[in-house]
Amino acid sequence: MELFIIFISAALVNNFVLAYFLGICPFVGVSNKLSSAISMGMATTFVMVLTAIVSWLLYNLILIPYSLDFLQIPSFILVIAALVQFVEMVIKRVSQPLYRALGIFLPLITTNCAILGLALFGSMREYSFAENVVFGVGAGAGFTLALIIMAGIREELDLADVPKPFRGAPITLIVAGILALAFMGFAGMI
Amino acid sequence: MKKQVSLSKEYLKGVWENNPILIQLLGLCPTLAVTVSAINGLAMGLAATFVLVMSSLLISSIRKIIPNQIRIASFIVIIATFVTVVDLVMKAKFPDLSKALGPFIPLIVVNCVILGRQEAFASKNNPGRAFLDAVGMGTGFTIALLVLGGIREIIGSRTFFGLQVLPDQYEPWLIMILPAGAFLTLGLLLGISNMYTDRKKRTEHESIIAHYKRVGREDIAEQLEVK
């Protein structure tokens, strides 16, 4: 039950994009086509789950026992960068079509603040291992959901008559604002 | 050889012309998240500016010994070091502010403004220019955060830097300090800044046409009007 609440909270109530503003860059940048939004969402979720596992192990088995937690920021970012590189190599070997679909998005994920945010939140809230993994899955699902909804809206928005200065990023942000309002409706769930 | 830009221009381009938030749309995550009040915006802006200036200085001074293949990784390690410094200082000196900004101080590491400036500027220029560029970009970033935080604080909780500026009769718009308010305010701000830039470009264009008409070159004026 505890785990389920963490999942719902990360995916809907405290959605990473719409409540914590993490991962706004890909949210604005990649959400103009539905197909690339789905690929980006999948790639990010995948890396998020791996990060949740690895960062928990690193933090609780190495940094805390040796009281090195002041090295948290550099070590997390290095682990994430290495992880992304590793995932890229594995996917390239295992599945060429998947690599072609995710290829360009993977390097971008390194500088996606949602991933580092996930690792930092996990260590700040002192989650157990299982909780941290569920948190990663939930955050990834929430990110993918927000990205897909946004891409769907933006495909329609291309046909709308938007005032010229508001075309592009400004209208995207305003739509995101309305979407964030809608997501606030989930707040009553926990 | 590339024409050298004057030093003051190097500084000023970050403040308005290439403002990291309003024009380049970089570093939006902290921008939206922390600007519930002017003081938070200012603190975040200054913290990011410090990291940006220090890492630009360091990276441009050692730019010739960083091997090209691992430059991104080296930049990130240097940035992460300065972010750790800021994070620990904030925790020790301003515990309240540090709590309010939460994980967003550590998240300066992945702020694309900072990495972007290292890659685009500091790694190719001498420390003096890199310093000016970083201070300029930092100023632009801080001003944008301060404006955004100020607007949201005044409308959303009728105060500015904690001082009440609107009368009690004014009902605060709660939405402005909620996440949705951040998106809406920044969206409107971007739209207005676009409108201003467009208008400026148009008047410039019209004055050029008027000039050609004055000197009797109707043919060039007509060509320009078509554009």
Side-chain angles (χ1 to χ4, degrees), chain B residues 115-151:
Chain B
L115 190 63
R117 283 337 280 169
Q118 309 313 329
E119 171 73 10
F121 201 91
S123 58
K124 298 187 187 102
N125 287 280
N126 63 33
R129 274 178 189 279
F131 176 77
L132 281 177
D133 174 77
V135 176
M137 286 291 161
T139 317
F141 188 66
T142 311
I143 291 175
L145 282 183
L146 191 61
V147 169
L148 202 60
I151 295 176

Side-chain angles (χ1 to χ4, degrees), chain A residues 77-177:
Chain A
I77 191 84
L78 279 183
V79 164
I80 292 168
L83 200 67
V84 172
Q85 199 82 64
F86 175 72
V87 168
E88 194 182 345
M89 284 192 298
V90 169
I91 292 182
K92 201 174 180 181
R93 281 310 280 262
V94 175
S95 157
Q96 277 292 330
L98 192 63
Y99 178 72
R100 245 172 274 132
L102 300 185
I104 44 164
F105 299 117
L106 279 169
L108 286 176
I109 292 175
T110 317
T111 50
N112 185 339
C113 29
I115 309 284
L116 186 63
L118 179 93
L120 291 169
F121 273 126
S123 67
M124 243 168 62
R125 296 179 185 168
E126 292 168 353
Y127 279 145
S128 73
F129 183 68
E131 282 172 342
N132 209 20
V133 174
V134 171
F135 181 56
V137 178
F143 182 80
T144 313
L145 182 68
L147 212 59
I148 290 175
I149 294 177
M150 196 64 201
I153 297 178
R154 278 183 81 173
E155 280 188 352
E156 296 291 315
L157 210 59
D158 283 345
L159 306 170
D161 185 21
V162 180
K164 194 169 163 264
F166 279 88
R167 269 178 219 162
I171 194 72
T172 310
L173 286 168
I174 291 172
V175 169

Side-chain angles (χ1 to χ4, degrees), chain A residues 6-53:
Chain A
I6 290 179
F7 177 80
I8 290 293
S9 152
L12 296 177
V13 183
N14 292 320
N15 187 289
F16 261 45
V17 179
L18 296 170
Y20 287 145
F21 309 102
L22 296 169
I24 296 285
C25 303
F27 181 68
V28 176
V30 197
S31 65
N32 42 14
K33 262 174 52 203
L34 200 54
S35 55
S36 47
I38 295 174
S39 304
M40 182 68 182
M42 270 164 38
T44 310
T45 310
F46 186 54
V47 177
M48 270 184 166
V49 176
L50 284 178
T51 307
I53 296 171

